[in-house]
Amino acid sequence: MAQARRVIPIQSQPAAAAPAVAGGPFQVPQNPPVVPSGPPLWLLAELTYRCPLHCVFCYNPLGYANVRDELDTGEWVDVLRQARALGAAQLGFSGGEPLLREDLEELVAEARRLGFYTNLITSGVGLTEQRIGALKAAGLDHIQLSFQDSTREMNDFLSNTKTFALKQRVAELIKRHDYPMVMNCVLHRYNLPHIAQIIDMALAMGAEYLELANTQYYGWALKNRAQLMPTLEQLRQAEAVVNDYRARIGNRCRLLFVVPDYHEDRPKACMSGWGSIFLGVAPDGAALPCHNARELILPPFHGHPYKRLTIAIGGGR
């Protein structure tokens, strides 16, 4: 049975209060342009909500432990085939921790046969020499490895695990098997002051890409928002550090940095507009236009053509 996620105590913080934003409240256009779009090109297959980590900013839904009916291998193969027929070109295997699925290699092989560019989005837990060799043989194109911080103490505190040394070993495995090294680190008030050290760690590990992903406040991140939310000054300082590194390292490593909506003048379009680029399929087959859409009433995958599901959730809007 899945374990409960860790919640940082927030008694001393106003749980519902967001930081003041320079420039006043969000400004919403009166007549936003309607931009036609085709079917989503990026499919995220959330194979399971099960995960060995217990991150305080986890994007799993709060009620994830109640989702017990995961799609089986045949049903996921059906999803992949319908998605490819619909026009999806890039496929992310995610979770939870997708390595907990024993059929991952089989799904990767089918995705390769269908012509997807495939990504494995992982904590690294379970990625052994044997497993990465099998995934390579199955045709996996790309691995994204997550770290919580550049220090063992903060990495292990934020994930409620002792995984920092394991992640370092997995990073070496990824490079040894000639994969592009893509590192991800979710940012918040606890690790933003370490952003230079996080970049240095990525450079030392030979990362070609570093995604500095400021926390998006839904799921467990929203539950812990009062403790995780950085100040605007913290974000500005961190972005200045990122820009300095960009100027100094050039193309050695591409640094991606996005500030959260709480510190923008107005909100970004969710997932660049629902159905325009992204579509996720949850472990139980729910088709989601964004990670947090489980709160909406959506049709399940079981027994429904994928294209009908896309239309049902407002594909293109």
Side-chain angles (χ1 to χ4, degrees):
M1 179 180 294
Q3 300 179 40
R5 292 278 162 184
R6 184 176 179 200
V7 180
I8 296 178
I10 60 173
Q11 287 84 351
S12 60
Q13 298 285 343
V21 178
F26 290 136
Q27 302 297 312
V28 179
Q30 295 300 309
N31 296 296
V34 177
V35 181
S37 62
L41 298 176
W42 162 244
L43 175 70
L44 184 69
E46 293 185 304
L47 300 181
T48 182
Y49 285 142
R50 293 173 288 142
C51 185
L53 274 59
H54 306 286
C55 302
V56 295
F57 46 76
C58 179
Y59 296 155
N60 274 352
L62 297 183
Y64 77 97
N66 296 322
V67 178
R68 300 174 181 175
D69 296 325
E70 295 180 359
L71 297 184
D72 62 26
T73 305
E75 289 172 319
W76 273 118
V77 167
D78 195 11
V79 169
L80 302 186
R81 290 174 180 173
Q82 292 188 53
R84 192 73 180 102
L86 187 63
Q90 186 161 338
L91 169 63
F93 291 107
S94 181
E97 175 49 67
L99 286 164
L100 291 175
R101 290 279 302 220
E102 295 181 355
D103 58 356
L104 178 60
E105 289 85 348
E106 183 177 349
L107 296 176
V108 168
E110 176 63 16
R112 178 71 173 216
R113 189 191 68 78
L114 291 169
F116 278 106
Y117 183 88
T118 53
N119 308 66
L120 175 64
I121 302 167
T122 179
S123 68
V125 178
L127 192 58
T128 61
E129 181 79 50
Q130 181 179 3
R131 200 85 195 268
I132 197 171
L135 289 167
K136 187 82 171 182
L140 182 68
D141 294 298
H142 169 122
I143 299 174
Q144 177 181 296
L145 176 64
S146 69
F147 277 80
Q148 281 65 41
D149 196 79
S150 60
T151 68
R152 180 191 307 271
E153 294 76 15
M154 189 58 71
N155 181 92
D156 293 354
F157 167 72
L158 291 166
S159 65
N160 197 28
T161 61
K162 295 181 178 181
T163 54
F164 186 72
L166 179 149
K167 289 172 179 286
Q168 290 178 312
R169 293 194 298 271
V170 168
E172 294 173 359
L173 263 182
I174 291 171
K175 294 297 290 186
R176 191 158 66 245
H177 283 263
D178 199 29
Y179 275 107
M181 166 61 80
V182 180
M183 188 179 297
N184 169 278
C185 186
V186 177
L187 301 176
H188 39 76
R189 72 166 63 168
Y190 287 97
N191 61 7
L192 271 170
H194 310 155
I195 197 162
Q197 292 91 331
I198 292 169
I199 297 172
D200 286 338
M201 176 180 69
L203 293 173
M205 292 181 177
E208 285 89 5
Y209 294 86
L210 173 59
E211 182 182 7
L212 297 163
N214 278 284
T215 301
Q216 302 301 306
Y217 291 93
Y218 50 81
W220 292 87
L222 182 60
K223 183 88 171 174
N224 289 311
R225 181 181 64 179
Q227 286 289 339
L228 293 172
M229 181 74 72
T231 66
L232 180 58
E233 184 57 28
Q234 277 185 304
L235 281 166
R236 286 174 172 167
Q237 291 175 359
E239 190 166 21
V241 171
V242 171
N243 288 333
D244 177 65
Y245 269 86
R246 284 171 173 159
R248 289 194 284 117
I249 68 176
N251 294 327
R252 179 180 169 191
C253 179
R254 185 178 179 187
L255 306 179
L256 308 176
F257 183 89
V258 181
V259 299
D261 280 345
Y262 288 86
H263 295 292
E264 296 277 25
D265 292 332
R266 61 188 178 91
K268 299 181 290 293
C270 181
M271 304 308 296
S272 300
W274 277 14
S276 62
I277 295 176
F278 171 92
L279 183 63
V281 176
D284 60 347
L288 307 175
C290 79
H291 300 77
N292 200 39
R294 289 207 76 104
E295 295 181 6
L296 305 176
I297 299 175
L298 299 174
F301 165 76
H302 297 279
H304 293 273
Y306 187 90
K307 188 171 183 180
R308 282 178 55 197
L309 286 180
T310 307
I311 295 171
I313 63 173
R317 290 288 186 217

